[in-house]
Amino acid sequence: MRRMHIQNVEPGMVLGKALYGDNYEVLLNKGVELTEGYINRLKNKGFIKVYIDDEDTADVIIKDPISDKIRIMATKDILKTYELTQSAIVSIEAETTESVIKSINTPKIKNAFQENQAFKQMCKDINSFVDELMNENILSGLNSIKSFDNYTFEHSVDTAVLSIIIAKRLFLNKDKLRQIAIGEFLHDIGKIFIDKNIINKPGKLTAEEYEQVKQHTTYGYELLKDIGNIGEVSKHIPYQHHERQDGKGYPRGLRGNNKIEESNVGYTDQDKLIMIAEIAAIADFYDACISDRPYRKGLSPDFVYGLIKEGSGTQFNSELVECFLGVIPKYPVGSEVKIKNGKYKDFTGVVLSLNIQQLTRPKVKLLCDARKNKITPCEIDLSSDISTDMECIC
Ligand SMILES: [Fe+2]
Ligand SMILES: [Fe+2]
């Protein structure tokens, strides 16, 4: 299987993973042979990439860390929690930050959130979500393909998966992992209190609009802060996931100390940056950057990997970045890659499998030569072929 840009998909190709519609009904099932009509429908629906099964990449196994069943369950819980809370909001146009915070703290909004069945269901479903991730130690493949309308919910599930895999490496207990999952599922919920036209604006935001978007952190915290049964960590992920080590983040400009410290795992006081939010900052950045949006293609995984390394110490906790680099491969399985030097210069192929000892040097299956002509597939192992460099191209 491989992930392919929709522009390169041709009739007759076979879908490798099911695609889902707005309410998570199956749109097209795994194994369906794509027709011109199907491909056009997918383009109209805003899908930018799809998984394709073909003979050349039949041995490329892209493993999703969670089952479709659990992924859909979690995504629906988030979607419905958002919808039911949103239905209590009367108007948010031209309101000040203070007036929005005041209305979040009214019984009407608070009850719409904490009494809604979807939120209660989410709190129950968290256990099976965390359980499924208990055996996953690295994220071998690519993140999920996201739909146009449900991006925020799907992004929230992917950041939860990524955060939990990082946190597991730090041997955090299951209760903490559950708190991480809830906090990540709801990390952007504050966006429902911001004008939709700003949230969905395709182009660059004005300075004033950006100031408004930044408030989603505070709004999320205000919504969650007095909910009894979810734990402090869950509430501070929405609040702190855009803070930075150097104090240049938002909303409060908290500072980090670039260390993994036992004492910093839980919540201690209101003004301290918690380590779990520092994990969330990395996971959120990674997933948001590599995901496709209707107005821009996602950045390639190897490029974003480099951005996280560059941000180590200033944007991100440097000891956590080290941990991240141990669970996220530079070139995930199923990525399309191009060789940059040596005898296979400009040949293209697909990442076949990872070498756990050397996550940045996987095995690659070459499929096309430098002139883009198909070749008899051949494997190269970058862990032994140390002079060969490559880049992701999709
Ligand atoms: Fe956010
Ligand atoms: Fe986010």
Side-chain angles (χ1 to χ4, degrees):
M1 199 189 318
R2 60 169 128 178
R3 184 138 100 170
M4 214 182 237
H5 200 287
I6 193 88
Q7 301 298 356
N8 300 329
V9 173
E10 289 166 11
M13 287 183 170
V14 174
L15 201 60
K17 283 190 180 191
L19 292 172
Y20 298 92
D22 298 347
N23 294 307
Y24 294 94
E25 73 287 4
V26 175
L27 216 57
L28 280 179
N29 229 329
K30 173 183 161 63
V32 164
E33 196 176 304
L34 295 168
T35 60
E36 188 127 25
Y38 283 156
I39 296 169
N40 286 334
R41 243 177 85 199
L42 294 177
K43 283 181 186 165
N44 291 338
K45 278 231 144 252
F47 287 103
I48 294 183
K49 287 171 199 154
V50 292
Y51 284 102
I52 294 294
D53 254 338
D54 59 12
E55 208 180 306
D56 287 345
T57 59
D59 49 353
V60 178
I61 313 291
I62 304 176
K63 193 171 168 283
D64 194 332
I66 46 170
S67 61
D68 270 19
K69 185 176 152 224
I70 294 288
R71 183 181 284 283
I72 289 171
M73 172 197 80
T75 318
K76 276 184 168 173
D77 286 344
I78 303 169
L79 179 152
K80 286 190 197 145
T81 302
Y82 267 63
E83 273 180 0
L84 291 171
T85 313
Q86 204 151 20
S87 64
I89 304 171
V90 187
S91 155
I92 45 165
E93 272 170 68
E95 289 202 52
T96 63
T97 302
E98 292 70 31
S99 68
V100 175
I101 291 176
K102 217 169 147 194
S103 64
I104 293 172
N105 283 291
T106 55
K108 190 179 175 213
I109 302 258
K110 281 277 148 117
N111 289 338
F113 175 63
Q114 56 182 309
E115 298 306 324
N116 91 51
Q117 281 311 315
F119 175 61
K120 290 181 177 169
Q121 189 61 43
M122 176 194 295
C123 294
K124 283 187 201 152
D125 290 341
I126 281 296
N127 288 320
S128 29
F129 181 80
V130 171
D131 282 347
E132 275 213 355
L133 287 166
M134 289 318 284
N135 295 324
E136 298 298 324
N137 297 319
I138 58 163
L139 207 65
S140 58
L142 291 148
N143 68 341
S144 69
I145 286 176
K146 297 180 175 64
S147 60
F148 174 75
D149 290 322
N150 293 335
Y151 167 80
T152 301
F153 319 122
E154 294 162 6
H155 159 70
S156 301
V157 173
D158 274 351
T159 52
V161 168
L162 192 46
S163 294
I164 288 174
I165 292 179
I166 298 172
K168 268 182 62 212
R169 205 163 250 229
L170 306 171
F171 305 106
L172 299 193
N173 64 33
K174 231 174 168 180
D175 177 55
K176 282 284 178 307
L177 300 183
R178 275 193 290 267
Q179 291 195 43
I180 293 174
I182 297 219
E184 288 287 20
F185 282 3
L186 300 172
H187 76 276
D188 281 331
I189 194 164
K191 288 185 178 171
I192 64 174
F193 301 104
I194 297 167
D195 189 345
K196 256 209 159 85
N197 296 318
I198 298 177
I199 295 295
N200 295 330
K201 187 175 168 180
K204 210 172 178 293
L205 298 175
T206 65
E208 198 209 316
E209 287 166 344
Y210 185 48
E211 284 309 311
Q212 286 192 52
V213 170
K214 283 176 171 179
Q215 297 304 327
H216 76 278
T217 48
T218 308
Y219 297 160
Y221 175 69
E222 289 292 330
L223 183 67
L224 268 65
K225 70 179 182 193
D226 34 30
I227 309 295
N229 57 346
I230 58 171
E232 288 304 315
V233 164
S234 304
K235 304 169 189 177
H236 283 265
I237 290 176
Y239 204 12
Q240 300 186 1
H241 69 283
H242 291 290
E243 298 287 3
R244 297 169 48 114
Q245 295 298 300
D246 58 10
K248 291 181 182 162
Y250 62 87
R252 294 183 290 162
L254 300 179
R255 276 180 179 274
N257 66 359
N258 280 304
K259 294 216 163 3
I260 294 174
E261 280 178 342
E262 192 82 43
S263 61
N264 212 13
V265 167
Y267 167 79
T268 47
D269 70 78
Q270 172 74 14
D271 297 325
K272 200 157 184 259
L273 188 51
I274 55 169
M275 199 176 78
I276 286 165
E278 297 175 319
I279 297 174
I282 300 175
D284 182 53
F285 180 86
Y286 181 78
D287 189 68
C289 287
I290 67 169
S291 298
D292 296 314
R293 303 304 307 275
Y295 47 86
R296 64 135 175 88
K297 195 163 92 65
L299 299 170
S300 61
D302 54 340
F303 183 72
V304 180
Y305 183 94
L307 292 180
I308 289 181
K309 271 174 109 171
E310 267 171 42
S312 173
T314 50
Q315 187 173 0
F316 307 116
N317 178 324
S318 53
E319 290 191 0
L320 283 177
V321 169
E322 284 308 309
C323 183
F324 168 86
L325 301 179
V327 295
I328 303 292
K330 187 173 181 184
Y331 311 99
V333 174
S335 318
E336 298 208 295
V337 289
K338 185 177 184 179
I339 306 296
K340 289 193 338 193
N341 58 352
K343 99 171 175 199
Y344 296 113
K345 187 173 182 319
D346 293 333
F347 277 50
T348 54
V350 174
V351 176
L352 173 62
S353 61
L354 300 177
N355 178 337
I356 303 299
Q357 265 71 44
Q358 283 188 74
L359 269 188
T360 55
R361 312 293 297 169
K363 272 191 190 153
V364 174
K365 196 164 193 188
L366 296 176
L367 302 171
C368 289
D369 66 15
R371 291 200 195 99
K372 296 193 171 114
N373 295 319
K374 269 186 90 169
I375 54 169
T376 310
C378 84
E379 271 178 40
I380 54 168
D381 185 348
L382 265 66
S383 65
S384 49
D385 185 353
I386 51 163
S387 59
T388 299
D389 272 332
M390 64 178 186
E391 61 187 355
C392 293
I393 50 171
C394 189

